[in-house]
Amino acid sequence: PLPPTFSDPFEHRAFLKFRLAQAYRIFAKYGYDEGVAGHITVRDPIRPDCYWVNPWGVHFKLIQPEMLLLVNHEGKIQEKESGPSRFLNRAAYMIHSAIHEARPDVICAAHSHTTYAKAFSALGVPLDPITQDSCAFYEDHALYSEFRGIVDDCEEGLAIATALGSKKAAILQNHGILVATKSIEATIRFFISMERCCQVQMMADQAAAARGQKTRLIDPETAAETQKFLGTDIGGWFGGIPEFQLLEHEEGNKFE
């Protein structure tokens, strides 16, 4: 299976908006909401200098395509295309604008204050290759080892984008995780997986310490080879599809 292609850019836009709204509702299913915090963005196929994002203050479970906001890299809401609620999360603008501008290859980026990612990020260390799943992030995630409070200025957004570099994910110290890939499906897949990897590493490290041991790492060569299978954009896209299939089955609503 391969990602769908579109000859009509407006149909492509409609599909991405539909998928992005689904992504928010998937996050809600997993409990990845934290009050008004958290954001997922997707680059617009018609205006690549703009991206779609959720209106601030609306629960993820309620997000629908017609509610999304189209925002340019300067943080200006595009009046004609955007939904009726015009509240923009300033942190979302600061972080995502910097990433989308620095990384033309990134179609979708996600960040939310999830439980295990927050806990693991407080350790200030990267993920270790201790399981097959964590190998998907082997040498393909960054550690942003700063926390300067709420992201409220361009410099902080640029610093996060710089730390991310060309990698697909980052651990933001004392803050959580961020994932940025070439598709909505891959971003959702790797975000869910990274949250679980954070949980597993904390559990494994705690269990090992209780036995007076250290968690055993997968050797670098094997970890790198495993990453080539599990950590690719197409692998992430394919791995993310079941989440959307299940949501469509539960809701009885597919893109037409």
Side-chain angles (χ1 to χ4, degrees):
L2 293 173
T5 57
F6 299 87
S7 57
D8 181 355
F10 287 95
E11 183 183 15
H12 190 191
R13 172 188 275 181
F15 173 76
L16 289 178
K17 290 177 67 178
F18 184 86
R19 246 335 181 224
L20 180 59
Q22 286 184 314
Y24 277 107
R25 300 197 300 275
I26 289 170
F27 266 31
K29 283 179 58 179
Y30 280 101
Y32 291 172
D33 55 292
E34 182 65 37
V36 297
H39 17 85
I40 314 170
T41 57
V42 65
R43 190 185 300 273
D44 184 61
I46 299 173
R47 300 178 59 187
D49 63 327
C50 296
Y51 56 86
W52 295 94
V53 68
N54 59 312
W56 195 29
V58 178
H59 196 283
F60 286 178
K61 191 173 184 179
L62 303 177
I63 298 295
Q64 296 295 329
E66 63 273 12
M67 301 168 68
L68 297 169
L69 304 178
L70 184 63
V71 181
N72 67 14
H73 289 167
E74 287 71 48
K76 183 177 180 181
I77 296 173
Q78 307 303 292
E79 294 293 331
K80 292 182 180 180
E81 296 94 336
S82 297
S85 177
R86 301 297 173 86
F87 292 104
L88 174 64
N89 185 330
R90 184 173 174 82
Y93 154 59
M94 293 298 175
I95 296 173
H96 290 257
S97 290
I99 291 171
H100 282 292
E101 194 163 12
R103 292 277 302 276
D105 62 307
V106 167
I107 300 300
C108 179
H111 165 67
S112 194
H113 297 176
T114 51
T115 302
Y116 295 107
K118 285 189 294 186
F120 186 79
S121 73
L123 303 177
V125 297
L127 284 170
D128 290 327
I130 62 171
T131 67
Q132 177 174 297
D133 295 315
S134 62
C135 284
F137 303 98
Y138 182 69
E139 295 188 337
D140 198 18
H141 74 289
L143 173 64
Y144 179 57
S145 56
E146 299 283 346
F147 181 72
R148 303 169 184 169
I150 295 173
V151 180
D152 198 40
D153 58 56
C154 293
E155 288 187 6
E156 185 69 358
L158 288 171
I160 292 172
T162 300
L164 177 66
S166 61
K167 294 178 170 60
K168 69 167 171 276
I171 294 170
L172 311 181
Q173 185 172 298
N174 306 110
H175 195 169
I177 58 175
L178 183 144
V179 175
T181 77
K182 295 181 180 179
S183 71
I184 297 173
E185 295 86 353
T187 293
I188 298 310
R189 164 60 190 156
F190 287 130
F191 191 100
I192 293 171
S193 181
M194 198 172 198
E195 165 75 357
R196 288 172 174 165
C197 287
C198 289
Q199 178 185 10
V200 168
Q201 183 162 336
M202 288 189 293
M203 292 170 65
D205 286 347
Q206 184 178 25
R211 291 172 173 265
Q213 301 174 349
K214 288 187 177 181
T215 306
R216 293 187 177 182
L217 305 185
I218 296 170
D219 68 89
E221 183 178 354
T222 303
E225 285 299 314
T226 306
Q227 195 279 335
K228 292 178 182 178
F229 283 95
L230 300 181
T232 64
D233 285 303
I234 191 65
W237 172 82
F238 186 63
I241 289 295
E243 294 291 344
F244 294 87
Q245 290 174 337
L246 178 59
L247 186 74
E248 289 171 352
H249 173 76
E250 292 171 342
E251 296 182 344
N253 184 27
K254 296 183 178 181
F255 178 76
E256 301 292 344

